[in-house]
């Protein structure tokens, strides 16, 4: 029984150590700005299309579903409110982060995993660079910067999708839709909508790096790490989402 | 068996390394001196690569001490190890060139990233070109590792290992997976580096003929090729052979002793002498 527990406990310990070193390196020299910008491009700009699509369709679906539910109470004009709140609080951050986990946690894990099995990580250490400083910290910084931005984009595109449905299918006026959406949002929603992606960014990038750097067993191992990273990141996104939501709800201001 | 006046470059004292409870190196002790060549033979899985990585401080021993240039690695933090590593060149088994960088950037990497080297930026290009010319890869500066053949990648990796002019160079199976002609070219480069830069060389290999070349040939800089060392009347670097078996050091001595050994495992390596 103890043996069964040993491995996960050790893995958590390793992860915490990695996370600690990655964060500490943010404030330490040398800073690899080139790598940060490169990662912002790959992680952020590269994910733009998929994030826009996910945002758009979730907005559309929310409008369609909510309009039906609201119609029972004769409150169809509140569609904007519901779309805005669900997107800003939950769907925007969570769906964007899940897309990032699928695209970037796995991407990071496979890239670092290939480097690990071809001894490039060892070579990096042999040639005077700390792999955490050179590989992990730039990915952490880039994701923490890009994921909140992408989430905001997804939120707006989602609101736009909801607007299209409201006007075309539900025959609401644009003014009504945008007014109800705008008024629904409080500071608390905005805070929640921005803190979540920041935490998810840490999850997405560090889990990807963690599984990548502990890859063993050749190309097969790289495949395994890639899958594990994606699954673990997705699960952790949901767990941290529950925790943050519970925090905001228990504050009584949600 | 300390030589008079020669400094100890690499010293293992009862070094044991284990992974997941399995011992990969078992109480290995040896000492290599300045200017010496060491050929470490062993079958796959005998701990050869682990030995080199331990010497670089990439792997920490469970017990025992590793001293490089007289400094004990086991007490050092990673940041201090970078200083020591800047004086060691390492050729990794599969070259380990960075895929995302081109050949010139790969070779420039240690010059730009080793803090102890402090190479001015204006000199980097010249030194990179010089190192690539040394390995006869002058025209490939802008190419990426994936565009090169296995032998060329190995040569680029040698250039990266020696570009900083390290006094100690470690080679992990430099001829593995190459055809005999390319393997010979690579070995010739190793001997050229040893004889021209007067480096201490640790060569890990499973091919006895690599060791044989190391021990009996020298680089003739005038003719630009290898020649049998017996034609040379100058001082020759001493070559010591070591054999690893399942993590244990089972033999240490010169080539004559190795070839006259009665041990079955050891003699299996030297039967292939050319």
């Amino acid at each position: 029984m103890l043996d069964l527990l040993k491995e996960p406990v050790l893995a958590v310990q390793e992860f915490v150590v990695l996370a600690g070193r990655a964060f500490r390196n943010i404030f330490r020299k040398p800073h690899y700005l080139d790598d940060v910008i490169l990662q912002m491009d790959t992680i952020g700009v590269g994910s733009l299309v998929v994030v826009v699509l996910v945002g758009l369709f979730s907005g559309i679906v929310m409008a369609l579903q909510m309009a039906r539910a609201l119609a029972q109470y004769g409150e169809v004009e509140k569609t904007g409110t519901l779309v805005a709140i669900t997107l800003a609080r939950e769907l925007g951050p969570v769906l964007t982060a899940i897309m990032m986990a699928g695209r970037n946690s796995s991407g990071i894990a496979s890239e670092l995993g290939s480097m690990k099995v071809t001894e490039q990580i060892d070579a990096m250490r042999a040639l005077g660079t700390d792999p955490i400083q050179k590989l992990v910290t730039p990915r952490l910084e880039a994701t923490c910067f890009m994921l909140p931005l992408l989430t905001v984009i997804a939120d707006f595109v989602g609101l736009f999708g909801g607007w299209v449905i409201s006007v075309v299918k539900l025959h609401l006026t644009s003014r009504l839709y945008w007014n109800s959406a705008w008024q629904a949002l409080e500071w608390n929603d905005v805070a929640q909508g921005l803190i979540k992606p920041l935490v998810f960014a840490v999850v997405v990038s560090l889990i990807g790096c963690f599984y990548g750097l502990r890859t063993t067993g050749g190309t097969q191992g790289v495949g395994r790490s890639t899958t594990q990273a994606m699954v673990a990141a997705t699960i952790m996104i949901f767990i941290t989402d529950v925790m943050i939501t519970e925090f905001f709800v228990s504050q009584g201001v949600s | 068996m300390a030589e008079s006046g020669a400094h100890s470059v690499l010293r293992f004292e009862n070094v044991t390394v284990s992974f997941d409870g399995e011992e990969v190196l078992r109480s290995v002790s040896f000492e290599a001196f300045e200017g010496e060549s060491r050929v470490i033979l062993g079958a796959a899985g005998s701990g050869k690569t682990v030995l080199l990585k331990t010497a670089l401080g990439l792997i920490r021993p469970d017990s025992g001490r590793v001293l490089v240039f007289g400094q004990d690695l086991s007490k050092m933090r990673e940041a201090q190890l970078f200083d020591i590593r800047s004086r060691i060149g390492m050729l990794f088994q599969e070259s380990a060139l960075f895929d995302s960088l081109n050949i010139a950037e790969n070779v420039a990497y240690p010059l730009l990233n080793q803090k102890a080297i402090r190479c001015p930026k204006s000199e980097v290009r010249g030194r990179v070109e010089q190192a690539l010319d040394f390995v006869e890869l002058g025209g490939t500066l802008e190419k990426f590792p994936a565009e090169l053949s296995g032998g060329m990648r190995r040569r680029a990796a040698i250039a990266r290992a020696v570009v900083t002019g390290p006094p100690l160079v470690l080679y992990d199976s430099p001829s593995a997976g190459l055809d005999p002609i390319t393997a010979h070219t690579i070995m010739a480069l190793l001997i050229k580096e040893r004889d021209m830069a007067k480096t201490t060389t640790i060569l890990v290999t499973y091919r006895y003929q690599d060791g044989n070349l190391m021990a009996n040939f020298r680089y003739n800089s005038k003719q630009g090729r290898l020649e049998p060392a017996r034609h040379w009347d100058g001082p020759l670097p001493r070559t010591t052979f070591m054999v690893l078996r399942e993590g244990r050091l089972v033999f240490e001595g010169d080539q004559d002793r190795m070839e006259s050994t009665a041990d079955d495992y050891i003699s299996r390596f030297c039967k292939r002498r050319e």
Side-chain angles (χ1 to χ4, degrees):
Chain A
M1 182 65 194
L2 271 178
D3 273 359
L4 275 177
L5 282 174
K6 198 172 141 192
E7 204 164 309
V9 169
L10 278 178
V12 170
Q13 179 190 324
E14 259 179 67
F15 180 79
V16 171
V17 170
L18 175 79
R21 289 174 64 188
F23 276 108
R24 198 180 58 187
N25 283 347
I26 296 177
F27 309 102
R28 281 192 175 181
K29 280 188 176 179
H31 301 292
Y32 297 101
L33 199 62
D34 294 358
D35 292 281
V36 179
I37 291 169
L38 187 75
Q39 290 306 322
M40 280 181 180
D41 186 44
T42 337
I43 294 171
V45 183
S47 307
L48 197 58
V49 175
V50 59
V51 163
V52 164
L53 285 177
V54 166
L56 181 71
F57 288 116
S58 53
I60 289 175
V61 167
M62 282 312 291
L64 288 172
Q65 293 283 18
M66 289 304 160
R68 214 178 68 175
L70 287 167
Q72 293 180 351
Y73 307 99
E75 298 261 25
V76 181
E77 63 273 19
K78 288 261 171 78
T79 305
T81 312
L82 275 181
V83 172
I85 289 180
T86 44
L87 275 177
R89 284 190 197 162
E90 285 298 330
L91 288 187
V94 172
L95 288 181
T96 312
I98 287 174
M99 291 317 290
M100 294 287 270
R103 196 179 173 276
N104 297 311
S105 291
S106 55
I108 291 172
S110 71
E111 189 185 357
L112 299 199
S114 318
M115 291 184 76
K116 175 78 192 300
V117 298
T118 54
E119 294 183 311
Q120 288 178 56
I121 304 280
D122 280 333
M124 210 165 245
R125 289 173 66 202
L127 298 173
T129 25
D130 173 8
I132 294 179
Q133 182 102 46
K134 173 89 177 157
L135 299 172
V136 180
T137 303
R139 281 165 176 77
L140 173 69
E141 289 169 338
T143 318
C144 283
F145 188 79
M146 296 315 273
L147 190 49
L149 282 183
L150 288 170
T151 304
V152 170
I153 293 172
D155 288 347
F156 275 102
V157 178
L159 277 174
F160 172 78
W163 169 75
V164 171
I165 293 300
S166 301
V167 171
V168 175
K169 195 146 184 288
L170 310 175
H171 309 295
L172 302 174
T173 62
S174 297
R175 194 183 161 81
L176 183 65
Y177 176 83
W178 288 114
N179 260 341
S180 63
W182 178 251
Q183 280 167 7
L185 292 178
E186 293 171 12
W187 273 114
N188 177 262
D189 300 317
V190 179
Q192 209 179 129
L194 288 175
I195 287 171
K196 277 182 182 174
L198 204 60
V199 175
F200 296 159
V202 175
V203 169
V204 164
S205 56
L206 288 184
I207 287 185
C209 293
F210 172 69
Y211 280 102
L213 288 179
R214 74 201 299 254
T215 305
T216 48
T219 42
Q220 210 181 6
V222 176
R224 208 167 35 233
S225 299
T226 309
T227 321
Q228 282 174 336
M230 194 228 149
V231 172
T234 310
I235 292 172
M236 281 312 293
I237 286 169
F238 281 113
I239 294 175
T240 45
D241 183 44
V242 170
M243 284 158 61
I244 301 169
T245 307
E246 163 59 20
F247 173 79
F248 274 92
V249 170
S250 68
Q251 294 290 302
V253 284
S254 185
Chain B
M1 39 182 183
E3 283 180 2
S4 56
H7 297 286
S8 169
V9 170
L10 176 62
R11 183 183 162 106
F12 272 52
E13 287 176 10
N14 299 313
V15 173
T16 299
V17 176
S18 54
F19 294 130
D20 301 326
E22 200 180 324
E23 288 187 350
V24 204
L25 282 187
R26 299 174 195 198
S27 195
V28 171
S29 301
F30 70 92
E31 185 165 21
F33 294 94
E34 201 178 341
E36 188 185 346
S37 300
R38 288 250 158 187
V39 179
I40 304 174
L41 293 157
S46 56
K48 305 186 301 278
T49 300
V50 173
L51 187 145
L52 288 191
K53 288 188 179 172
T54 313
L56 259 179
L58 296 176
I59 296 173
R60 284 188 189 271
D62 295 307
S63 62
R65 296 203 305 160
V66 179
L67 291 103
V68 182
F69 306 113
Q71 289 172 278
D72 189 355
L73 297 191
S74 40
K75 292 198 181 98
M76 286 189 186
R77 297 161 59 97
E78 184 84 4
Q80 294 169 299
L81 285 171
F82 284 145
D83 282 346
I84 289 276
R85 288 183 195 144
S86 68
R87 297 169 67 196
I88 310 174
M90 167 90 180
L91 173 72
F92 288 89
Q93 195 163 4
E94 298 295 333
S95 304
L97 294 169
F98 302 122
D99 295 324
S100 54
L101 304 179
N102 68 25
I103 296 301
E105 288 165 338
N106 261 293
V107 178
Y109 196 91
L111 292 173
L112 296 172
N113 287 285
Q114 303 268 30
K115 273 189 222 130
I117 301 284
R118 291 179 209 285
C119 177
K121 278 220 165 82
S122 55
E123 285 177 24
V124 170
R125 188 74 183 183
R127 286 181 73 172
V128 167
E129 284 172 3
Q130 201 183 349
L132 282 169
D133 281 340
F134 180 84
V135 296
E136 293 148 31
L137 269 186
T140 60
L141 273 81
E142 307 304 326
K143 287 216 160 75
F144 281 86
E147 298 173 80
L148 300 184
S149 69
M152 286 162 98
R153 277 206 292 275
R154 207 67 58 91
R155 279 195 265 166
I158 294 176
R160 186 177 70 177
V162 303
V163 68
T164 55
L168 169 65
V169 191
L170 316 173
Y171 298 100
D172 191 358
S173 310
S175 59
L178 298 178
D179 61 87
I181 298 167
T182 315
H184 188 273
T185 321
I186 297 290
M187 283 311 300
L189 281 174
L190 263 52
I191 294 169
K192 182 177 167 189
E193 164 68 19
R194 178 193 70 182
D195 292 346
M196 290 183 68
K198 307 278 180 238
T199 48
T200 309
T201 303
I202 313 281
L203 166 71
V204 151
T205 182
Y206 59 87
R207 286 164 28 114
Y208 184 64
Q209 62 263 51
D210 292 347
N212 185 40
L213 277 173
M214 267 276 161
N216 298 308
F217 284 78
R218 64 174 289 277
Y219 182 75
N220 184 326
S221 52
K222 279 187 197 122
Q223 294 174 4
R225 58 184 178 83
L226 292 191
E227 65 178 14
R230 59 179 181 274
H231 296 165
W232 167 254
D233 45 12
L236 277 170
R238 192 168 65 124
T239 305
T240 309
F241 284 74
M242 284 164 49
V243 179
L244 279 177
R245 181 180 192 179
E246 286 161 15
R248 278 184 204 287
L249 187 59
V250 292
F251 174 85
E252 185 180 6
D254 62 18
Q255 195 178 15
D256 293 336
R257 251 191 74 202
M258 177 150 174
E259 293 190 349
S260 58
T261 180
D263 186 292
D264 194 35
Y265 181 82
I266 299 167
S267 59
R268 247 185 285 167
F269 282 101
C270 19
K271 270 180 194 157
R272 298 172 62 185
R273 184 170 190 176
E274 285 172 328

